[in-house]
Amino acid sequence: MPPRVSDVMTAAPETLPLDATLYEAARIMRDRGIGDVLVTYAGRLCGVVTDRDIVVRAVAESRDTSLTPLGDVCTAELTTVGPDDDTGTAARLMCERAVRRLPVVDAQHRPVGIVCIGDLAVANGDGGPLPEISKAPPNN
């Protein structure tokens, strides 16, 4: 039986409210060495913003990152998994949706974790370089 998502996910993901600015998200990403922040409204997941979103949807469009709210650039149509889903389900969804990470939500749609393709590679003991790359610390 494959492990559960809760066994491999990063718990307590970084979150910001929908009206937080891109600047706030970028600082968290830099300080924590991560590439995404989950976006919430009233504590429930409503989007995700990535470092690429900030560059492509904001900086390249000359938006002021200190004034632009996350709600203007985050991806709102999300595929999610629950902590009790198995990692096979997470891998299948990543393939079907062509995404590299999935927010993990509880029954009330509150974010409790995030699972990325590297987490699944490490958990499944896949060969090749991906598990080693995924275990390496970020190069800031």
Side-chain angles (χ1 to χ4, degrees):
M1 180 166 158
R4 295 180 322 156
V5 168
S6 61
D7 297 329
V8 301
M9 72 181 189
T10 298
E14 293 296 329
T15 64
L16 282 172
L18 191 61
D19 59 352
T21 65
L22 294 174
Y23 174 76
E24 292 172 87
R27 287 192 53 122
I28 286 174
M29 288 180 205
R30 181 200 63 196
D31 294 349
R32 303 283 195 277
I34 58 175
D36 60 84
V37 172
L38 299 180
V39 182
T40 60
Y41 179 76
R44 295 172 192 243
L45 181 68
C46 66
V48 64
V49 67
T50 66
D51 48 5
R52 186 174 192 282
D53 293 332
I54 293 171
V55 171
V56 173
R57 297 179 185 170
V59 175
E61 299 294 328
S62 297
R63 292 178 184 237
D64 185 338
T65 59
S66 65
L67 298 176
T68 304
L70 296 178
D72 286 1
V73 299
C74 72
T75 299
E77 293 184 26
L78 300 175
T79 300
T80 63
V81 291
D84 292 329
D85 288 336
D86 64 61
T87 56
T89 299
R92 179 182 53 77
L93 288 170
M94 285 180 183
C95 287
E96 287 175 1
R97 309 283 190 204
V99 295
R100 296 173 185 226
R101 57 183 68 93
L102 294 172
V104 183
V105 296
D106 65 14
Q108 289 75 41
H109 212 66
R110 291 183 303 245
V112 296
I114 191 158
V115 63
C116 71
I117 196 166
D119 297 329
L120 299 179
V122 170
N124 294 331
D126 293 346
L130 188 56
E132 289 307 310
I133 293 169
S134 298
K135 288 186 219 173
N139 63 2
N140 297 337

